[in-house]
Amino acid sequence: MNTLDVGCMSDPTGVAFFPVTTFDEDGELDERQLRDHVSSTVERAEFSCVIPLGSVGEFAYLTLAERKRVIEVVVDEVSDDIPVVPGTSAIPTRESVDVTMFAQRAGAHSVLVTPQSYFPPTEETVFEYYRSLSEKTDIPIWVYNNPSTTNIDMGTDLVSRLLELEGIDYVKSGTGDMRSFRNLHCRVGDDVPLFAAPPNMFEKLAFGAHGWSGPIATIDPEASVEMFTAFRNGDIVEAREQFKPWQPLLDFFDEYPYVATMKAILNEQGRDVGYPRAPVQPLDGAPRERLRTTLDELDLR
């Protein structure tokens, strides 16, 4: 059984905030900027949880020590009643176990974990990876199916098998296969919280996802929570009308590098989140000009 006391924390289902990781011009971690980014964004809306070290948090470009420091800073900056759910994925299983154990000691509510990437994993590789985390750590785990970065789209049978492991309590779905998502939702119902992630965020929410995460939640926090509230109230038409204007902005994330796009948007909003870490390059030139125009049209700058 997981023994972490999360009784004082809110339910993490709802709208998740994924902070970026802030770097200065030399690529060094800027803790002051990180604290400002987290605290100022959390103040704007009722986020259900904060998830540092996701893809937009550039976890793949951080050292293990830097990842641990980001966890410490975010846990320290977020109030105790808001769950912090660090990403603790790693290519070596032992490294994922290490950072997961650290997150637990630091006071995290739970952890978000994708299968190892680089070498395309088999289903058995994925199962053993999560089994190791389940057996060697004592904190709730989110299974994150993110085929765009892991080279495996975890189907309903595999995810259901993972959910039988002790401590596997949440699922975040980044599949583009809506049939697969519907099958999973029908299999687990409301027994397991399912989070909607890109692509098809809106469609997953319409089918009953219990929460959502995506770039818009960071860019436009208040409206993101309003849209999710409309879903919870059963007003899918209102939710759709709130979502539709964001599509031109979301298209930038398909056209250009994800992290560079997010940091360009936040910096254009005057939120000062620094630079991407190399090898990612800042979004400049004509794409940046187009981005400014789009943000102005949406009154987001």
Side-chain angles (χ1 to χ4, degrees):
M1 293 292 293
N2 287 310
T3 59
L4 182 66
D5 180 9
V6 296
C8 65
M9 297 182 183
S10 301
D11 180 352
T13 58
V15 181
F17 162 42
F18 279 72
V20 300
T21 301
T22 51
F23 303 108
D24 64 21
E25 195 169 5
D26 295 323
E28 297 300 318
L29 179 65
D30 189 320
E31 291 188 17
R32 180 196 61 78
Q33 278 189 331
L34 179 59
R35 289 184 182 275
D36 289 348
H37 170 52
V38 171
S39 62
S40 62
T41 305
V42 167
E43 288 173 356
R44 291 180 55 180
E46 293 186 12
F47 289 108
S48 62
C49 58
V50 178
I51 306 183
L53 302 174
S55 298
V56 76
E58 298 177 79
F59 79 91
Y61 301 133
L62 298 179
T63 66
L64 192 58
E66 287 174 327
R67 294 179 70 180
K68 292 178 178 180
R69 184 56 186 156
V70 168
I71 292 170
E72 288 178 324
V73 168
V74 175
V75 169
D76 182 58
E77 203 62 38
V78 174
S79 65
D80 291 341
D81 61 331
I82 301 175
V84 174
V85 186
T88 60
S89 308
I91 293 177
T93 300
R94 65 175 61 191
E95 187 170 306
S96 182
V97 169
D98 183 2
V99 71
T100 297
M101 293 176 67
F102 180 87
Q104 180 181 346
R105 294 193 299 270
H109 169 278
S110 46
V111 294
L112 177 73
V113 183
T114 61
Q116 65 89 10
S117 58
Y118 188 74
F119 296 108
T122 65
E123 290 196 357
E124 200 57 31
T125 300
V126 170
F127 182 81
E128 288 301 318
Y129 176 63
Y130 283 102
R131 186 184 62 79
S132 292
L133 286 167
S134 170
E135 292 181 352
K136 296 177 181 179
T137 67
D138 196 26
I139 186 172
I141 296 168
W142 299 41
V143 170
Y144 181 14
N145 182 25
N146 189 18
S148 65
T149 63
T150 62
N151 294 307
I152 185 170
D153 196 346
M154 293 187 279
T156 298
D157 289 342
L158 175 57
V159 174
S160 298
R161 188 178 170 208
L162 294 174
L163 287 168
E164 294 175 358
L165 294 170
E166 189 70 32
I168 307 293
D169 294 339
Y170 304 89
V171 177
K172 180 183 174 188
S173 175
T175 183
D177 183 346
M178 280 303 299
R179 175 181 292 182
S180 177
F181 178 82
R182 292 193 302 269
N183 286 340
L184 179 62
H185 191 283
C186 290
R187 177 82 62 91
V188 303
D190 290 327
D191 294 336
V192 178
L194 299 180
F195 261 70
N200 303 327
M201 294 174 291
F202 186 89
E203 291 83 353
K204 291 167 185 170
L205 284 170
F207 199 74
H210 304 92
W212 80 297
S213 63
I216 293 298
T218 302
I219 297 163
D220 197 356
E222 299 89 344
S224 297
V225 172
E226 289 173 6
M227 187 205 71
F228 182 72
T229 301
F231 266 114
R232 277 197 163 166
N233 292 338
D235 194 345
I236 192 170
V237 174
E238 174 62 24
R240 183 187 65 208
E241 292 308 305
Q242 290 180 319
F243 188 90
K244 282 167 61 176
W246 294 327
Q247 191 58 53
L249 193 58
L250 290 171
D251 288 342
F252 277 87
F253 290 92
D254 290 329
E255 293 182 56
Y256 303 105
Y258 197 97
V259 171
T261 300
M262 176 63 88
K263 286 192 168 177
I265 291 170
L266 296 179
N267 284 324
E268 288 294 335
Q269 292 180 318
R271 294 165 68 181
D272 191 17
V273 294
Y275 301 81
R277 176 173 271 186
V280 180
Q281 298 299 302
L283 189 71
D284 290 320
R288 186 69 169 249
E289 289 299 324
R290 283 182 52 222
L291 183 61
R292 291 189 185 108
T293 299
T294 300
L295 289 169
D296 287 341
E297 290 172 347
L298 296 173
D299 197 24
L300 287 174
R301 192 166 77 101

